[in-house]
Amino acid sequence: MAPTPHLALKPGTEWTTAWQRCLAVAPEAFRDDRVLNLWNGAWRPDGRPLPATTPVDGTPVAGPPRLDAATAHRAVRAALDHHRAWRTVPLADRKARVAATLDALGEHRDLLALLLVWEIGKPWRAARADVDRAIDGVRWYAGEIDRMTEGRSPLPGPVSNIASWNYPMSVLVHAMLVQALAGNAVIAKTPTDGGLACLTLASALAAREGLPVTLVSGSGGELSGALVRAPEIGCVSFVGGRDTGARVATAVADLGKRHILEQEGLNTWGVWNFTDWAGFGSRIRKTFEYGKQRCTAYPRFVVQRAVFADFLEVYLPAVRALTLGHPLAVASPDEDLPELDLGPLINAAKAKELTDQVAEAMDRGAIPLHRAGLAAGRFLPGQDTSAYVPPVVLLDPPSASPLHHAEPFGPVDTIVLVDTEAELLAAMNASNGALVATLSCDDRATYERLAPQIRAFKVGHGVPRSRGDREELFGGFGASWRGAFVGGELLVRAVTEGPAGERAPGNFPDYHLMP
């Protein structure tokens, strides 16, 4: 790779500067060389900090202070005491404290976003959007919570949150604040792969306003007894992969515990009897946002063979236009941070794994339609680029490849060609359930006939679907989701108790109920 020598870190965005700002804003939660765990209403220097580096350029950053199982159980028991006190706090008071927390998050919006850039490699625009979606989304709930909780009560115990690293604010912090708004104490485990400082700062701002927040770090295996199986826990909310999710699902099913388990699926975009190529081409670039490290990314296109040439004519130019590089590199100190499509993957190990999967798929017959390189990226001179993967597009991945049936969680698209509607549906349903899907076809009647046969919770007609905000519901079909669906009123319903015998919409061991 030939680095771009004229680029440099934008002044004021250095990791050391961000860290010093954290020390100044929340000295109770940060020490000179580490963050603290928050439990029983106090920030504690317990746990063994692990070394960590940023995927952006390999710079050392703060690592998670991992608790042992015994301490985690103590934290959960303390959270139950806080939960019992918090559930009696009047709703008006809860709303005021959450509103004050949102104001504080807004005041420190750019610092939270900068932490996301360094810790999980989000480009600046995406990082700020993550913070904004958390704040704006919870404000909407604060305005709607009275009607949503009417006739309902908080759970008997706190909500335990175990989430992946990719959306610390708009998924995890958002959920925590809505759960607290609904009358529950909340516990969160810091994702092992990133987001520690951002979550610590957000939790410190919430704790200052009196919200019953617990934030702990540790390995999933070590802490699962406390965060999943402990009798004090009222609900388990999990966002992550199918392997870990299956173990959590088994535990909560055995215990009969309330649960929300969002898991991965291969989200697909089908193209059938379609001609609006200008509109289609304008949407491709956005599908690569954050390197497709999103639960609602579209890594698989299922294309009718008869229109494949037209598809490529708009698809390939969009992919070739993608920009990649260091999210904080600028040509001059007064230049705005770059509007990049892609930064790094979450770590170098994930980048190597994905690169190896691509090479293996090609060895077994997949046809490379596009393979970008790092040479055109925006990088600092001599920087570590081991976590960066430029976009790749493969035609017909072999059935033995993980890229055939699983979500790559990186900037790798696969394309499958089909000739019949039956083949189209089979290819779009390759992963036993997904969160979202899209079908591009000109005829509305054809879409309405085929869409119900696609096993995804949300199916768009020619437009991508997302997790959604505010009143929009969210869930998954098949193995992509276990437990209660969320979004809008369903999120509050999932973490509160209603009339006796109430059945929540969702995928449960003994029933499936759509909203």
Side-chain angles (χ1 to χ4, degrees), residues 54 63 81 88 113 116 155 225 229 251-252 254 257 288 314 334 403 501:
T54 169
D81 292 336
T88 66
L116 291 180
L155 298 175
R229 295 182 175 86
V252 295
D254 290 345
K257 194 180 294 290
F288 278 85
V314 296
D334 58 349
L403 297 177

Side-chain angles (χ1 to χ4, degrees), residues 476-493:
F477 274 106
S480 68
W481 197 281
R482 311 285 181 94
F485 296 145
V486 295
E489 187 173 349
L490 292 189
L491 175 53
V492 172
R493 188 170 168 182

Side-chain angles (χ1 to χ4, degrees), residues 48-96:
R48 179 173 60 88
L50 293 184
T53 58
T54 169
V56 172
D57 60 11
T59 297
V61 297
R66 296 170 62 139
L67 295 181
D68 58 30
T71 306
H73 276 287
R74 292 170 58 200
V76 169
R77 286 193 291 270
L80 176 61
D81 292 336
H82 288 272
H83 176 83
R84 288 169 172 163
W86 178 253
R87 60 178 292 159
T88 66
V89 172
L91 179 56
D93 192 3
R94 300 200 302 264
K95 290 167 61 176

Side-chain angles (χ1 to χ4, degrees), residues 15 27 79 94 102 127 132 184 193 232 240 278 315 372 379 388 400 421 431 445-446:
W15 168 255
R94 300 200 302 264
L102 296 175
D132 290 343
N184 302 288
D193 289 325
E232 294 90 346
Y315 173 85
F379 296 108
Y388 291 80
E421 289 184 356
S431 69
T446 299

